Amino acid sequence: MTESIYANYPPSLSPTQQEFLVTTIKDWAIQNGLAVRPPPTYVPEGTDPNRVLATTAPVTLFPSPFPRSCFQEAEALQTAYNRLYATITNDEKWLGKIIEDLIDVDDFVANLWKTHLAVKEEGYVQDLSLGLFRSDYMAHETANNAPELKQVEFNTISSSFGGLSALVRSLHYDLLTSPPGFSLSYPPHPLFESNVPPENTAVETLSGGLAAAHIAYGPSKSSPKLPLAILFIVQDGERNVFDQLALLKRLTDFHKIPVFRVISSKILDQTSIPASDPSRPLVYTPPHSPTTPFEVTTVYLRAYYSPDEYKSSRDWEARTHLERSAAIKCPTVLNQLSGCKKIQQVLAEPSGPDHLSSFLKGTDSSLIERLRKTFAPQYDLSESGQGRDLALNPESALKHVLKPQREGGGNNVYKSEIPGFLKSIPEADWKGWVLMELINPAANAENVALRNDGEVLRGNVISELGVYGTILWDNKGNVLHNDQGGWLLRTKGKEVNEGGVAAGFSSLDSVLLF
Ligand code: ADP
Ligand code: MG
Ligand code: MG
């Protein structure tokens, strides 16, 4: 069945039609904020000294067909996944045992763990944690059966693209529904008949989580009391700023919550914790208005997920400063660590303790089995395990990807490169990596991408679906808010191993369910 859906999709375009569609999309994108700051390589040095330029985010010209059953299953599982990762985060002992093994081979993980221990030693003053998660999947094709939903990874920090993804859905919706003869619109195709991409509530869901945390924080702890605000911690030179601003706008316009974006290198200059106050409120002093400080209820990290962002001990000092404050962290250090690829591999282990059932006590066992079904086989590289043989054998390596404990794309080793890579690093370091079987989405799907240098590429593609979820919980395991909603489809050339839009591999896309 899948075969026939992908055949002759997307409809072909004459050169004039394609040019027209591309022009329409470029204009739509800028008009609606479906944009990114241009990569430095597109702006030769000195040509944009004041950084005023923005460009169309990489997008597909057409929505991609995606199996409805997989899409619905991903949505149905999200709140259980939220609970799973909240519960793991609360189990410091279980988490610590796994992290312990990574500490001697991974400085970044070691430093995160140290940050947690330092704050624990002093005592945490905030019981609540906020998660803004994204669970990523592919629709795995098997010979005769219906496609199966398989998880690529679960993200617990800086889960991005909710803002732009909702806009791509609107772009494709507009192109599908504009009457023929109008400036927008696609050539006809059977898949377009009375079919539009499902609603995408990513912005509402993610801001809803932040707003729930803001409210749960309660009144100002400062004396005298201060007005309350949310802080987004962002990277210097962030190109994906409009994605963040979509959440910011929803928080200010709809929830009426003040939000400020602070570059991570400025945290120690612009925020403080009064030394004399044991409740440790985090006070933000806006540089543009130093006489009106705010107390921060919630710190949302769109930074600090990658080791290269910690340039000196000052960055670790800033991270510790946030962690020890009374602000609700999204995520806490422990919640960030729960998203390690190693944790996902341990959860997927087919034998040994049933971690899923113990973390999701009280959950319907059939739901737990549905979660388990989304796991692709994953292995450690220990001497006794199967993973080592699979990774070192050139033939079996072809069916696998090797992952370190990193986020943000561009860190994995693929297929034929795995054996040589492993042999090039000390064997003692192998325990910092996990081996995962490759998921195989439909082989004959096609789409056309408009890259952000204006290049238009048509070809076979692979799509990755992300579903957003948000959860607010306390350290005793009480859940105050647990919600799912909104999705992301990223599409890349079939021959490309890596994923990630920001990393330059994929384009933003939307789904047409079949
Ligand atoms: P990151 O946290 O850096 O995004 P991922 O686990 O998502 O790491 O891997 C990056 C990309 O590698 C994914 O977006 C996907 O394109 C590809 N990838 C990862 N795991 C698999 C897998 N099991 N099967 C197929 N592709 C994968
Ligand atoms: Mg990730
Ligand atoms: Mg990923």
Side-chain angles (χ1 to χ4, degrees):
M1 178 190 92
T2 318
E3 291 291 312
S4 60
I5 288 291
Y6 292 111
N8 307 316
Y9 189 85
S12 57
L13 298 167
S14 71
T16 343
Q17 278 177 322
Q18 177 167 308
E19 196 188 315
F20 187 72
L21 184 58
V22 166
T23 304
T24 304
I25 289 176
K26 283 184 199 161
D27 293 343
W28 191 103
I30 296 304
Q31 186 185 15
N32 293 280
L34 176 50
V36 291
R37 294 282 178 209
T41 42
Y42 300 163
V43 187
E45 193 146 354
T47 54
D48 182 23
N50 300 324
R51 280 184 66 79
V52 293
L53 297 182
T55 182
T56 305
V59 289
T60 59
L61 302 196
F62 298 90
S64 284
F66 195 87
R68 185 185 303 272
S69 57
C70 290
F71 184 88
Q72 289 176 339
E73 184 68 354
E75 288 194 320
L77 296 179
Q78 187 59 38
T79 54
Y81 260 124
N82 291 347
R83 217 145 41 75
L84 174 64
Y85 279 88
T87 313
I88 290 173
T89 303
N90 275 5
D91 196 337
E92 189 221 15
K93 217 169 128 205
W94 186 85
L95 196 56
K97 244 186 119 207
I98 295 172
I99 298 298
E100 209 169 80
D101 232 14
L102 297 171
I103 281 176
D104 14 313
V105 292
D106 191 322
D107 282 349
F108 180 53
V109 170
N111 280 324
L112 286 170
W113 185 250
K114 255 199 265 170
T115 304
H116 157 65
L117 290 182
V119 177
K120 184 182 166 194
E121 167 103 22
E122 184 186 13
Y124 279 93
V125 289
Q126 180 54 263
D127 292 349
L128 297 170
S129 304
L130 176 68
L132 258 52
F133 299 150
R134 199 188 66 223
S135 185
D136 291 336
Y137 305 93
M138 288 176 178
H140 181 65
E141 292 278 334
T142 51
N144 302 311
N145 305 319
E148 291 170 1
L149 182 75
K150 292 289 175 195
Q151 188 175 56
V152 173
E153 64 150 343
F154 193 87
N155 293 290
T156 60
I157 182 164
S158 300
S159 307
S160 59
F161 287 113
L164 295 192
S165 168
L167 284 169
V168 181
R169 186 267 171 191
S170 298
L171 165 71
H172 288 158
Y173 179 91
D174 282 359
L175 291 166
L176 282 163
T177 55
S178 61
F182 277 64
S183 57
L184 302 166
S185 84
Y186 291 132
H189 188 277
L191 202 61
F192 295 161
E193 281 161 26
S194 62
N195 196 4
V196 292
E199 257 193 273
N200 191 338
T201 55
V203 174
E204 291 82 350
T205 302
L206 296 172
S207 343
L210 288 161
H214 179 82
I215 291 164
Y217 181 86
S220 166
K221 303 173 200 295
S222 305
S223 57
K225 290 196 181 313
L226 293 174
L228 302 174
I230 293 177
L231 279 199
F232 287 15
I233 306 296
V234 304
Q235 295 180 333
D236 200 3
E238 172 65 76
R239 295 180 43 232
N240 196 21
V241 49
F242 305 105
D243 182 54
Q244 298 173 359
L245 291 179
L247 303 187
L248 189 149
K249 186 169 163 54
R250 172 82 183 170
L251 284 165
T252 52
D253 290 1
F254 180 80
H255 294 285
K256 312 289 180 209
I257 300 171
V259 183
F260 298 95
R261 293 171 75 245
V262 174
I263 296 170
S264 58
S265 60
K266 300 281 186 219
I267 293 170
L268 293 176
D269 303 328
Q270 297 177 5
T271 71
S272 59
I273 299 173
S276 57
D277 190 338
S279 64
R280 287 182 238 152
L282 183 67
V283 178
Y284 169 65
T285 308
H288 52 277
S289 175
T291 53
T292 53
F294 286 81
E295 181 172 329
V296 180
T297 61
T298 311
V299 169
Y300 172 43
L301 295 186
R302 290 289 293 256
Y304 278 165
Y305 53 83
S306 152
D308 56 16
E309 295 178 75
Y310 298 80
K311 297 200 168 52
S312 71
S313 57
R314 197 174 145 82
D315 289 297
W316 285 107
E317 201 187 313
R319 182 73 195 265
T320 309
H321 166 78
L322 298 177
E323 192 72 9
R324 67 185 286 276
S325 79
I328 298 171
K329 268 73 65 184
C330 177
T332 60
V333 167
L334 285 182
N335 190 213
Q336 175 176 358
L337 285 169
S338 76
C340 278
K341 306 290 189 286
K342 178 72 196 170
I343 304 287
Q344 300 176 41
Q345 176 254 309
V346 170
L347 291 175
E349 271 165 9
S351 54
D354 180 356
H355 301 300
L356 275 195
S357 298
S358 54
F359 284 127
L360 291 172
K361 251 186 236 113
T363 304
D364 190 51
S365 63
S366 65
L367 186 64
I368 293 176
E369 288 324 302
R370 281 162 64 191
L371 276 190
R372 209 187 306 277
K373 258 190 90 179
T374 64
F375 296 157
Q378 295 175 54
Y379 312 88
D380 64 32
L381 297 175
S382 60
E383 242 169 290
S384 54
Q386 199 187 347
R388 190 171 279 220
D389 292 340
L390 289 171
L392 291 174
N393 177 321
E395 202 162 308
S396 51
L398 294 177
K399 294 199 186 100
H400 291 89
V401 47
L402 188 66
K403 301 186 181 186
Q405 314 306 314
R406 292 291 175 272
E407 293 301 328
N411 302 300
N412 299 341
V413 179
Y414 293 88
K415 303 178 192 174
S416 62
E417 283 168 11
I418 299 173
F421 172 80
L422 283 175
K423 285 177 200 146
S424 77
I425 63 169
E427 204 175 309
D429 291 353
W430 291 5
K431 62 180 178 179
W433 297 75
V434 302
L435 188 77
M436 181 174 186
E437 196 169 294
L438 285 168
I439 307 164
N440 288 316
N444 56 344
E446 267 191 51
N447 208 326
V448 190
L450 170 64
R451 304 295 305 162
N452 61 13
D453 59 356
E455 197 186 353
V456 179
L457 300 168
R458 188 183 180 112
N460 284 105
V461 293
I462 288 178
S463 295
E464 181 172 344
L465 175 76
V467 170
Y468 295 98
T470 177
I471 183 165
L472 177 69
W473 76 98
D474 73 12
N475 56 1
K476 292 177 198 68
N478 301 305
V479 173
L480 284 74
H481 176 97
N482 184 4
D483 193 20
Q484 73 80 29
W487 45 272
L488 161 73
L489 196 77
R490 287 173 298 173
T491 293
K492 63 179 185 180
K494 190 172 153 43
E495 69 294 342
V496 180
N497 286 322
E498 263 297 335
V501 176
F505 301 104
S506 333
S507 300
L508 298 164
D509 193 353
S510 77
V511 296
L512 272 185
L513 302 179
F514 66 90

